[in-house]
Amino acid sequence: MPESYGFSGFRREHLPILPQEFTLVPRQVREGKVYKDDPGVVRQLGVIRELFDKCESVVVATDAGREGELIFRYVYNYLGCIKPFARLWISSLTDKAIREGLQNLKEGRLYDNLYLSAKARSEAD
């Protein structure tokens, strides 16, 4: 929200708002005249944090593509996770495709440019 960057109310002269760094916050819902973190989203982030805390490494199994990579990285970075991660890249959900994909996991950092491309697009939008 613009208020997160020091702007209150809508004013044409504030546009475009180009912050030095974009701030990620959980999805918010409106309660009266204010926005608050969606309790369901906060709960789900808590579940993911617990799983991150319990594991030694993470397998990224989001959609194969720019948006799937972005969603994972946003959650991973938001929760401050530093555990290593590998990428499952499949285009089919058949048992065979999943088994082959799990046998051919790639180092997660090989997808850094895909993430940066998605992040740039998201921020530009």
Side-chain angles (χ1 to χ4, degrees):
M1 300 300 289
E3 293 78 16
S4 300
Y5 300 102
F7 298 96
S8 61
F10 177 80
R11 297 175 116 179
R12 181 174 285 160
E13 58 268 16
H14 290 161
L15 298 177
I17 297 172
L18 300 171
Q20 290 292 333
E21 189 171 325
F22 285 83
T23 304
L24 285 179
V25 297
R27 182 179 67 200
Q28 297 185 320
V29 293
R30 190 174 185 159
E31 286 187 12
K33 293 185 178 189
V34 297
Y35 285 91
K36 295 186 177 183
D37 292 346
D38 182 326
V41 171
V42 172
R43 256 190 320 277
Q44 188 63 42
L45 286 169
V47 169
I48 296 169
R49 181 186 304 277
E50 285 179 27
L51 292 170
F52 280 171
D53 289 345
K54 290 178 183 178
C55 71
E56 293 177 18
S57 64
V58 177
V59 174
V60 181
T62 57
D63 287 345
R66 192 166 54 189
E67 289 75 20
E69 190 67 24
L70 181 65
I71 291 167
F72 166 71
R73 299 288 184 104
Y74 275 172
V75 172
Y76 180 86
N77 293 330
Y78 180 80
L79 295 176
C81 188
I82 58 170
K83 302 217 174 153
F85 60 93
R87 190 68 160 95
L88 172 67
W89 193 275
I90 57 175
S91 299
S92 170
L93 294 178
T94 64
D95 286 348
K96 181 182 177 191
I98 293 168
R99 286 187 215 302
E100 288 175 2
L102 288 170
Q103 291 173 353
N104 293 300
L105 295 175
K106 303 287 186 207
E107 167 66 36
R109 300 298 172 191
L110 294 175
Y111 296 89
D112 284 353
N113 285 340
L114 185 66
Y115 159 64
L116 293 171
S117 167
K119 185 176 181 225
R121 170 104 189 238
S122 174
E123 291 176 357
D125 285 349

